[in-house]
Amino acid sequence: MRTVLVTGTGGAGRTTVAAATALAAAREGQRTLLLTADPDGTPEALLGIRALRSAPGRSADRLPWSVPVELAPGVWAARIITDEWFRSELTALQERGHGLLDLLGATPLDGEELTPLPGVESLALLRALRAAQTAPPGTGWDVLVVDMPPAPDTVALLALPEQLRRYLRRLLPAERQAARALRPMLAQLAGVPMPAQKLYETAERWERELAAVQGVIESEATTVRLVVEPGPLADRALRTARAGLALHGCRVEAVIANRLLPTGTSDPWLAALSGQQQDALKELYEQWAPAVPVRELPHLGRDPHGVGDPRGAEPRPGADGVDAQRAPAGLAALAGAVGAPGARPDRPAPDPWTVEDRLADDGVLLWRLPLPGADRDGLGLVRRGDELIVSVGPFHRMLPLPSALRRCTVSGAGLRDGWLQVRFTPDPDLWPKRL
């Protein structure tokens, strides 16, 4: 299944582009699900549909989104239901840990008194990504389009599974689970149930779920579309987002330049804004194309409403101030410009995080990490044991070193043409000696 994550700068029209992308995919005969985590009524107003709500008695533990509503042939929309999913997960956790709660004399919380905690929205969204992949054959979707939060929040969210897995490994290391055989005996001696077994079982279940979600994020079938309203302030934010996505191995499929104003107008105020947009648009092409396509969406003069707008096209002023051209109306018109996501690749792309052997010529091993959009001022690099901590602006990632590099010391690093190149020199005390 193709998964398209739509994010970008704040207020750039992510929901509009996500809906247009889903419609474009459906036009090509692909069953498409559009998911949004927006808690207010913006998606419904944009799509021209009734409120996206869950059905009574629905199992949020199985499908953490509302009942899908059909927008057009082949495309459905649903909202991630954070509240119900949180209540379901916490209630299930209490049931699995009832022995420990009884031991501590704690009173379980009722579902009615549970309210989502900060950060639960991210976990619910990640669970939805996983759930969409596990639908039975013939009943699922060909394409999943997700209306994501703004780019900085999206990068942090996509990094979450790997970070949580790391915390689990540090707090509950697998080698300590070997003592499980002693727990039944200890429970008999103590006369009380030992909660450690349930704790490790829960940690194992979380590890499997997090690994599966991380697999979805890192899959070649998952891509990102970045939405931006071209302007001088948006360029910096987009560069930072690009570097953060690259740091976590996320592939950008397209950049969508949204709400482009008409050119050639005689109105000086509108001409100044349009000229500023065109300058920023030129920079977008220079930074991204041709490796990543830049697609242009016109400003409609108002917010779109529904798949097809019954009010028809809105007039767009031309050079003489009259209706020289007419803007397309509705999401259906934007779907043609934004384009459908590409097909799922038949084979995985080669790993760009490769180690280059330069021992014969320079006496070093070179680890090349793709970081387009990064700059030297916001770049940090720290060696910690068998890991390399890479920081790009506000984003961080702890990368386990390949086995050959663990027997080396870091001798230097440089950023060139969007690639971080880290040089490693073999440690004579650890490196195999030639006979």
Side-chain angles (χ1 to χ4, degrees):
M1 187 180 72
R2 285 284 284 110
T3 301
V4 183
L5 311 178
V6 181
T7 183
T9 55
R14 301 185 309 277
T15 303
T16 300
V17 171
T21 299
L23 287 171
R27 283 180 172 182
E28 295 193 352
Q30 302 179 87
R31 288 173 52 88
T32 305
L33 176 64
L34 170 64
L35 277 184
T36 179
D38 197 324
D40 60 25
T42 300
E44 288 92 335
L46 173 69
L47 300 170
I49 58 176
R50 66 179 187 271
L52 298 171
R53 302 183 185 277
S54 59
R58 183 178 179 81
S59 175
D61 182 65
R62 214 163 25 124
L63 291 175
W65 55 72
S66 64
V67 177
V69 174
E70 190 170 10
L71 303 179
V75 58
W76 290 261
R79 169 178 282 114
I80 297 171
I81 45 177
T82 302
D83 292 11
E84 293 187 20
W85 177 83
F86 175 74
R87 293 190 186 97
S88 176
E89 283 291 303
L90 193 54
T91 300
L93 182 61
Q94 288 184 144
E95 292 174 355
R96 287 192 295 269
H98 68 88
L100 175 60
L101 294 176
D102 292 342
L103 181 64
L104 298 176
T107 302
L109 296 169
D110 295 329
E112 293 75 12
E113 62 181 311
L114 296 175
T115 56
L117 301 174
V120 171
E121 295 84 356
S122 298
L123 296 177
L125 197 155
L126 292 173
R127 179 69 182 91
L129 289 180
R130 169 61 177 159
Q133 305 284 332
T134 56
T139 62
W141 291 272
D142 304 313
V143 177
L144 173 68
V145 180
V146 188
D147 177 20
M148 300 290 288
D153 297 331
T154 291
V155 175
L157 185 151
L158 298 179
L160 191 57
E162 184 178 62
Q163 293 171 347
L164 291 178
R165 293 181 69 195
R166 174 181 171 81
Y167 297 158
L168 282 175
R169 288 193 296 268
R170 292 292 297 273
L171 295 174
L172 297 170
E175 55 269 18
R176 294 187 183 178
Q177 299 184 35
R180 286 182 177 179
L182 299 176
R183 293 193 185 109
M185 181 180 64
L186 293 175
Q188 291 179 1
L189 292 176
V192 295
M194 301 297 288
Q197 177 71 18
K198 288 291 185 181
L199 178 64
Y200 276 105
E201 289 176 355
T202 300
E204 287 178 354
R205 185 176 67 89
W206 286 349
E207 163 65 23
R208 289 194 299 270
E209 285 293 320
L210 291 169
V213 175
Q214 187 177 346
V216 174
I217 294 171
E218 296 178 350
S219 169
E220 282 293 315
T222 299
T223 56
V224 177
R225 288 192 170 191
L226 282 174
V227 186
V228 60
E229 186 172 342
L233 299 180
D235 175 68
R236 177 68 181 179
L238 204 63
R239 287 174 60 88
T240 303
R242 183 183 189 184
L245 290 168
L247 178 64
H248 293 285
C250 300
R251 182 166 60 93
V252 178
E253 180 190 66
V255 175
I256 312 298
N258 195 23
R259 297 176 182 153
L260 291 177
L261 297 169
T263 59
T265 178
S266 58
D267 185 316
W269 182 82
L270 184 58
L273 290 178
S274 176
Q276 181 175 272
Q277 276 194 342
Q278 291 301 313
D279 291 341
L281 184 61
K282 181 180 178 181
E283 292 184 7
L284 282 180
Y285 276 101
E286 292 175 351
Q287 293 172 13
W288 294 86
V292 177
V294 177
R295 294 172 181 164
E296 303 179 19
L297 292 186
H299 201 302
L300 300 180
R302 52 177 166 75
D303 292 332
H305 180 80
V307 175
D309 198 325
R311 291 174 293 181
E314 287 288 335
R316 177 185 291 169
D320 55 0
V322 298
D323 302 348
Q325 48 184 324
R326 299 181 70 81
L331 293 171
L334 296 180
V338 79
R344 175 173 178 162
D346 295 330
R347 64 188 65 181
D351 185 7
W353 303 59
T354 56
V355 177
E356 185 178 342
D357 187 346
R358 294 189 179 180
L359 292 175
D361 298 330
D362 305 320
V364 299
L365 296 173
L366 193 67
W367 200 18
R368 303 178 73 244
L369 313 178
L371 289 179
D375 56 53
R376 289 179 175 82
D377 293 337
L379 192 62
L381 199 63
V382 176
R383 168 78 180 269
R384 181 184 179 277
D386 291 338
E387 295 177 318
L388 194 67
I389 306 174
V390 182
S391 302
V392 181
F395 309 119
H396 310 272
R397 188 177 184 185
M398 304 190 71
L399 298 168
L401 292 174
S403 58
L405 301 184
R406 297 174 187 176
R407 303 189 299 271
C408 302
T409 58
V410 178
S411 55
L415 183 66
R416 179 179 301 174
D417 299 328
W419 288 84
L420 174 63
Q421 304 183 62
V422 188
R423 298 185 297 277
F424 289 82
T425 302
D427 187 335
D429 296 331
L430 302 176
W431 198 257
K433 296 178 174 59
R434 293 182 180 179
L435 298 178

